[in-house]
Amino acid sequence: MATLAYDCWLQCARGCDGRYPVTQVIYQCPKCGGLLEVQHDMAALKQHSGAEWRALFEGRTRTNQWPYGSGVWGKKEWVLPALDDDHIVSMYEGHTNLFWAQRLGTELGVEDLWVKLCGNSHTGSFKDLGMTVLVSAVNQMIASGSSVRAVACASTGDTSAALAAYGAAAGIPTIVFLPRDKVSPAQLIQPIANGALVLALDTDFDGCMALVKEVTQDNSIYLANSMNSLRIEGQKTVGIEIVQQFDWQVPDWIIIPVGNLGNISALGKGLLMMHELGLIDRLPALVAAQAERANPFYRSYQRGFESLEPMHAGETVATAIQIGNPVSYERAVKVMRRFEGCVEQASEDEIAEATARADLTGMYTCPHTGVALAALFKLIDRGQVKPSDRVVVISTAHGLKFSPFKIAYHENRLPGIQARRPNPPVQLPAEAGAVRDAVQRFLDSRA
Ligand SMILES: *Cc1c(COP(=O)(O)O)cnc(C)c1O
Ligand SMILES: [Zn+2]
């Protein structure tokens, strides 16, 4: 494939005119205050056929040719073509495995069930996909003399872990704003270990978000939250990867847990771009899954996406999506209107049982993946998902980041939840007779 000059820029997602370089410190439209989005020069990209793009992406998959072996940078022309390869900060994110959930699928009567394990990544969540793009752009800004001195974000745990890791890899000072006692120990120790300034604040995510916005107003600290549209460009590769992993066949359903709504916006953007550029000829149905206690998107969907009513997000085991005022609401509505599908919600009990049930078939699911699975169970019960449908559940984080939740479940001490599948360790004296009895009871219960 001949190398063409590709271009992209920031523009208002609501349609005001004005174009801004992707390396400018700007997060919102100066005219209307709405979010910006990265717009690619689609005419230039269209000079290649869908088949040519497929072959290019396929040929780069997992190679060691810097940085194209990364799942994100293998699609660099579609992500941020203007970055110098030397400024890219990558941990070879992406290309996570798409797991055939055969046993769970058989139980559910939907045999073609797959789980995209985005948590099998450098910092254990899909947030790496977006952070490689944002930190690479900042790295290029600093190299070309920008006054940016540091990067910062508010986080429910996974964004800060990703930012701290990529920031440390680039040598860029990183500041993270976390709601105190609301992130898991694994999520807290990641930015600590990576040398970030970790601010544990006496508020929730929405409170952290308000503070980080205020502190980053002078433009010397670059804001890495998902209002920043550069992250979307990396996160959008997840949909492209899923389709590629099915030999460029489009699944019937993709189900994803949502909070701030950047991820669903990105998933939709990637799929729409593939469609427009001729890599695929149809679109999957998308399901956005929320925790009932933090469900502003679900409520808005119930009213035909008439408006967003920000809410106080209640405590949920799905801590990474405990968000009451989602930043990317408008982006996500735009996406949902282009796809078939729906928004679903799950109660705390449904989330906990969905994770426990999936784990019994060999997975180790985080609570957010549990939200998506619980949504799937409902769609199957209602007959919306058919037995012959191909379904992909996006697992957004690694279960190992959320072991305290799993321990509490199996010790049956999750507040308000009666565990139906607890499997606590059997405490025994070190005697062969007692052990033999316990083994016998276990085998009888499984017979
Ligand atoms: C961030 C996150 C989500 C939600 O993504 P949004 O872009 O905020 O909607 C879901 N699951 C996990 C594990 C996350 O870290
Ligand atoms: Zn505008």
Side-chain angles (χ1 to χ4, degrees):
M1 240 169 92
T3 5
L4 293 163
Y6 300 103
D7 194 14
C8 69
W9 55 89
L10 294 166
Q11 66 180 37
C12 174
R14 291 178 183 157
C16 306
D17 37 280
R19 290 182 177 187
Y20 316 93
V22 290
T23 48
Q24 184 175 335
V25 184
I26 182 170
Y27 318 109
Q28 274 156 311
C29 171
K31 292 176 183 158
C32 74
L35 293 180
L36 297 173
E37 65 186 5
V38 173
Q39 178 61 50
H40 290 267
D41 180 351
M42 295 302 280
L45 294 171
K46 275 179 190 162
Q47 291 181 33
H48 291 295
S49 68
E52 285 174 319
W53 285 118
R54 287 197 298 258
L56 181 71
F57 296 163
E58 199 78 57
R60 288 169 173 171
T61 299
R62 292 204 166 99
T63 59
N64 281 325
Q65 193 206 343
W66 176 265
Y68 299 95
S70 147
V72 171
W73 298 108
K75 293 141 198 122
K76 187 182 172 202
E77 294 81 356
W78 291 28
V79 174
L80 276 196
L83 289 193
D84 294 341
D85 289 353
D86 290 348
H87 293 144
I88 286 175
V89 185
S90 169
M91 312 241 193
Y92 270 44
E93 49 291 312
H95 295 313
T96 52
N97 47 320
L98 181 61
F99 159 82
W100 183 28
Q102 189 184 12
R103 182 166 293 275
L104 182 62
T106 302
E107 270 182 40
L108 295 169
V110 175
E111 306 269 346
D112 208 356
L113 174 62
W114 300 75
V115 179
K116 174 69 170 165
L117 293 169
C118 294
N120 291 1
S121 181
H122 188 72
T123 70
S125 87
F126 78 85
K127 297 294 199 297
D128 292 350
L129 300 174
M131 226 36 107
T132 182
V133 177
L134 181 142
V135 174
S136 297
V138 174
N139 206 32
Q140 178 142 324
M141 291 178 208
I142 292 174
S144 30
S146 144
S147 59
V148 169
R149 287 177 299 152
V151 287
C153 73
S155 176
T156 53
D158 290 330
T159 298
S160 43
L163 183 63
Y166 284 87
I172 300 171
T174 303
I175 306 157
V176 305
F177 292 59
L178 295 173
R180 188 187 306 158
D181 299 331
K182 290 193 176 72
V183 305
S184 76
Q187 290 172 323
L188 179 62
I189 195 63
Q190 286 180 299
I192 290 175
N194 289 140
L197 172 63
V198 178
L199 304 170
L201 303 168
D202 204 2
T203 177
D204 60 4
F205 170 80
D206 296 300
C208 289
M209 191 66 228
L211 273 168
V212 79
K213 272 184 172 170
E214 204 174 313
V215 173
T216 54
Q217 245 161 21
D218 76 346
N219 284 359
S220 68
I221 303 175
Y222 191 74
L223 181 57
N225 276 97
S226 65
M227 62 193 309
N228 188 312
S229 40
L230 301 183
R231 285 172 55 199
I232 303 271
E233 294 311 292
Q235 290 180 15
K236 81 183 180 197
T237 59
V238 70
I240 306 171
E241 248 180 59
I242 289 170
V243 174
Q244 183 187 345
Q245 283 168 312
F246 287 127
D247 292 328
W248 306 99
Q249 300 298 307
V250 178
D252 298 302
W253 298 87
I254 301 180
I255 307 178
I256 185 170
V258 302
N260 228 351
L261 303 176
N263 204 12
I264 179 97
S265 308
L267 174 66
K269 188 172 186 189
L271 291 164
L272 289 169
M273 210 162 159
M274 287 179 95
H275 195 250
E276 191 177 343
L277 293 171
L279 283 76
I280 54 176
D281 57 12
R282 70 181 193 108
L283 294 170
L286 298 186
V287 180
Q290 291 220 287
E292 215 171 274
R293 291 193 181 159
N295 64 352
F297 197 49
Y298 177 79
R299 291 184 193 203
S300 166
Y301 167 74
Q302 296 274 302
R303 291 178 283 105
F305 292 128
E306 186 186 279
S307 63
L308 171 71
E309 275 168 31
M311 62 183 283
H312 172 77
E315 295 263 327
T316 167
V317 292
T319 47
I321 55 175
Q322 188 177 328
I323 294 172
N325 190 10
V327 169
S328 292
Y329 172 76
E330 286 179 33
R331 286 181 180 138
V333 170
K334 249 194 189 167
V335 159
M336 293 307 288
R337 291 208 160 115
R338 295 285 304 273
F339 288 80
E340 298 287 313
C342 60
V343 183
E344 251 309 331
Q345 63 172 358
S347 69
E348 294 301 289
D349 184 64
E350 289 166 338
I351 298 167
E353 289 306 325
T355 58
R357 183 171 179 188
D359 288 1
L360 284 171
T361 66
M363 291 183 239
Y364 193 71
T365 48
C366 80
H368 322 88
T369 307
V371 174
L373 287 167
L376 168 66
F377 299 169
K378 291 181 180 185
L379 291 169
I380 293 173
D381 284 346
R382 287 205 299 263
Q384 270 171 280
V385 167
K386 307 276 186 305
S388 61
D389 286 350
R390 172 170 282 176
V391 182
V392 178
V393 169
I394 295 191
S395 174
T396 44
H398 202 295
L400 285 171
K401 289 185 106 170
F402 298 90
S403 286
F405 153 74
K406 289 182 174 295
I407 294 166
Y409 175 87
H410 287 288
E411 291 179 349
N412 201 7
R413 49 175 183 77
L414 283 176
I417 292 173
Q418 180 61 47
R420 293 196 289 284
R421 296 172 174 84
N423 183 30
V426 179
Q427 316 276 348
L428 287 179
E431 288 165 13
V435 171
R436 250 189 235 109
D437 289 348
V439 170
Q440 195 55 51
R441 277 196 302 278
F442 171 69
L443 292 177
D444 289 347
S445 74
R446 294 299 208 84

